[in-house]
Amino acid sequence: MTLYLKLFWEFFKAGLFAIGGGMATVPFLQEISRKTGWYTAGDLADMIAVSESTPGPIGVNMATYVGYTTAQRQAGPVFGILGGILSTVGLVMPSVIIILIIARFLEKFRENRYVNAAMYGLRAASVALISSAGISIVFIAVFGVNSIDEWRQAVIDYRCFLLAALILILTRWVPKVRDMHPILFIIASAVIGIVFHMSVPL
Amino acid sequence: MIYLELFLSFAKIGVMTFGGGYAMLPIIQREIVEKKKWVTEADVMDYYAIGQCTPGVIAVNTATFTGRHIAGDLGGICATAGVVFPSIIIITLIAALIRGFAHIRAVQDALAGIRVCVCVLVFNAVLKMWKKAVVDKVTLVLYLAILIASVFFDASPILMVVIAAAAGLLVKGRAKA
């Protein structure tokens, strides 16, 4: 029982203090590993890799993975499932509570001039931050480097450019095709990735 | 049954997202802005801005916001449960059954293709939002300044959001003379 409470509590803390998206939980997961010895740094590297390569928010994936693995090692697969669920609930609970409170506040002050003025600035910031995240995915996905600081090591892989150009044309300019669901483009790209072995640099 | 509908819609969004909260943006636009019309493009921008400076996973924040907007606190909880549900199933299956999943050649190849696609989809999503958020000189300056600060100087997103809110208050918050 104490194991489940501890899992819940550790992830509750990570959910409360990790600000700015899923990858912000990684330092907390390292801390948990050091403190409890539930898993090693190598295990964590694998868990991050799996979380990135499966659907779903990365932070949530990592919580489920760590919770399942830890409980399963100590008590078997059935309890592993319970551990995964409790860790995930722990991770999301603080943000659900906080967002419900903020949403109540926003609703109350929807017509307030100051709130609207702040939102006018916030939206520009929001789009800028999303653009910046988009640029960093371009560096990882198309140039094979982790950030703009490593541009000297960038590899130009023409397959990535061709695929990007193809999707851009299809999603912006081809009538009917551009209205197709985004998941179809994602699935097609996965197939193209497999056919052309895109994870292996040229 | 609106609670079930919220749960299912967000489960669908969860299963279609590869990567962080940003990768979710094109799917969110399609599913809850265009198809369901539950929230507007501007609402989603607000959720993302607030999600940047509150704890937790941005995908979860957006789900909670939307669910609550449509069906109150319980709606927020149902939407959140929906967005994490596919992760719990998929990750548990992989953790239990497949060793070294992330090292499988086909998985890595597929992911390399998916990443390129997500880039383009996020670009399209951002372009749509850009037109709604960058509406005058002030917002253009804010946009460019924050983009440069965060791409080249790794500026803290929380700081950027606070500055932008303050700038908005300065420009639009003054009482009309």
Side-chain angles (χ1 to χ4, degrees), chain A residues 171-189:
Chain A
T171 51
R172 298 201 67 81
W173 294 293
V174 180
K176 282 196 178 139
V177 176
R178 68 180 170 200
D179 299 321
M180 280 170 17
H181 199 286
I183 192 66
L184 298 174
F185 296 104
I186 293 177
I187 292 169
S189 302

Side-chain angles (χ1 to χ4, degrees), chain A residues 33 44-45 54 71 89 94 104 112 114 133 137 139 186 190 200:
Chain A
S33 144
L44 183 60
T54 45
V89 173
R104 182 159 300 179
N112 181 292
Y114 298 107
I137 330 176
F139 276 90
I186 293 177
V200 186

